[in-house]
Amino acid sequence: MAEVPEVEIIVRDLKQAVVGRRFVGAEVLVPAAVRFTSPPDFIQSLTGRKVLAAERRAKFMLLTLDDGQTLALHFMLWGELQLKPVGSERPPETLVVLTLEGNEELQLTDTLGYARVALGPTALLASQLKLEELGPEALDAAFTPEVLAKLLRRRRSALKTVLLNQRVLAGLGNRDADESMWVAGIDPRRLASSLSPSEIIRLHQGIRDVLEEGLRLRGTQRDLFGVQGQAKHRRNVFGKTGAPCPRCATPVSHLRIVGRNTHWCAHCQPADGAAIEAPAQTSLL
């Protein structure tokens, strides 16, 4: 599943292997994969352009081009991006191929077919993708417990719902939200506004710990060069309904909160918010 660690790893790889190079062509194998412009215009506008920079905003990968345009890519749930020699075998789930100078190509694949690309003038693309509406980045140094407290203060929804709201906190996905709340010992059904100062500090640290360990292990998917990341998709509680909690052995609970599968430990994450002992130093992944 492509969440912040997986996307961030790809962006770091793009900075290493793609920034400074030109696109010399493109193929759109699945037209629906291009959000805008049209596939023919996409190919024409991209060809000949040099990549000046690569960055991530939430789960978007953004490549700045030398003509004032930005190329955006989004994996959705299971998309992948691989750099391969031109002429390499293309998996049947390949959606778009971007050919680079130097006889290499970027292959965007997705077994579900949901991954998308978009191309346009930087300001227009940011507006169309609503990038300016996104909340702060959880990995930024500016994201502090004080910032998190302000984000949660007036939210009268379940904490899990608020953490997945990209306008509140950019990029935190379903898996990493569940894991962060488990690390912090906070029930995902709690009202976001009900957290105490100490719980907010724990939650902030949990979010950072989960994301940073995911980055150290290079995510759960293959990186740009085809190397499999060492992080586990099913970590401590996510996707482990009924399995013993690795901290206390209580069976992991499951509930759909606003349509999203949610997993937690009823013992380690008490519904009443009662104080618990500091989480044990169990490996997050």
Side-chain angles (χ1 to χ4, degrees):
M1 179 179 289
E3 296 198 7
V4 165
E6 289 76 19
V7 176
E8 178 66 23
I9 288 300
I10 293 294
V11 168
R12 295 179 184 184
D13 290 347
L14 288 168
K15 290 179 179 179
Q16 170 189 337
V18 173
V19 170
R21 300 172 68 179
R22 292 186 184 275
F23 291 111
V24 297
E27 296 178 58
V28 177
L29 306 179
V30 179
V34 180
R35 288 188 60 179
F36 46 82
T37 54
S38 67
D41 289 342
F42 174 85
I43 295 169
Q44 182 178 0
S45 297
L46 188 64
T47 300
R49 301 276 58 88
K50 184 177 182 179
V51 182
L52 301 182
E55 62 179 333
R56 177 185 59 80
R57 186 69 173 104
K59 298 180 188 177
F60 287 99
M61 294 157 281
L62 304 171
L63 299 181
T64 303
L65 307 181
D66 62 353
D67 64 346
Q69 294 192 101
T70 293
L71 170 64
L73 304 95
H74 198 296
F75 285 154
M76 299 305 285
L77 289 177
W78 295 105
E80 291 190 340
L81 188 68
Q82 304 247 321
L83 180 66
K84 296 183 178 181
V86 169
S88 298
E89 180 181 357
R90 296 175 180 175
E93 60 269 22
T94 303
L95 307 178
V96 177
V97 176
L98 311 173
T99 307
L100 291 157
E101 61 184 357
N103 207 38
E104 289 186 308
E105 61 187 30
L106 293 169
Q107 297 179 0
L108 178 65
T109 62
D110 185 356
T111 54
L112 297 180
Y114 296 151
R116 294 292 183 262
V117 298
L119 179 66
T122 297
L124 177 61
L125 180 130
S127 176
Q128 290 175 310
L129 297 179
K130 303 185 185 304
L131 299 182
E132 69 278 0
E133 297 180 12
L134 295 172
E137 292 283 345
L139 286 172
D140 282 355
F143 177 63
T144 63
E146 291 75 20
V147 170
L148 180 59
K150 290 179 181 178
L151 296 174
L152 301 182
R153 185 173 297 157
R154 298 178 181 177
R155 301 284 174 170
R156 302 290 296 174
S157 300
L159 179 61
K160 171 65 178 286
T161 302
V162 174
L163 290 181
L164 293 184
N165 184 339
Q166 300 300 290
R167 295 183 180 183
V168 176
L169 187 60
L172 195 64
N174 201 37
R175 176 196 70 205
D176 292 340
D178 281 4
E179 293 297 319
S180 297
M181 289 181 285
W182 178 82
V183 170
I186 299 172
D187 191 303
R189 301 168 296 176
R190 290 269 304 279
L191 285 180
S193 59
S194 73
L195 269 61
S196 68
S198 63
E199 288 175 321
I200 288 173
I201 291 172
R202 294 206 314 262
L203 178 60
H204 175 270
Q205 190 61 53
I207 291 170
R208 297 299 289 260
D209 286 350
V210 167
L211 296 180
E212 289 172 1
E213 187 164 357
L215 287 172
R216 286 196 300 273
L217 296 177
R218 294 187 64 81
T220 62
Q221 300 186 166
R222 292 178 296 175
D223 64 18
L224 192 70
F225 313 107
V227 179
Q228 178 66 46
Q230 297 304 303
K232 296 178 180 178
H233 174 56
R234 295 178 181 271
R235 300 184 179 180
N236 290 297
V237 291
F238 182 76
K240 291 191 172 183
T241 305
C245 167
R247 187 183 291 137
C248 71
T250 299
V252 171
S253 298
H254 168 263
L255 180 70
R256 289 183 68 84
I257 298 179
V258 193
R260 305 300 295 272
N261 287 312
T262 302
H263 306 84
W264 75 99
C265 171
H267 178 265
C268 294
Q269 298 166 259
D272 60 4
I276 62 171
E277 295 182 2
Q281 296 302 308
T282 307
S283 172
L284 302 180
L285 305 178

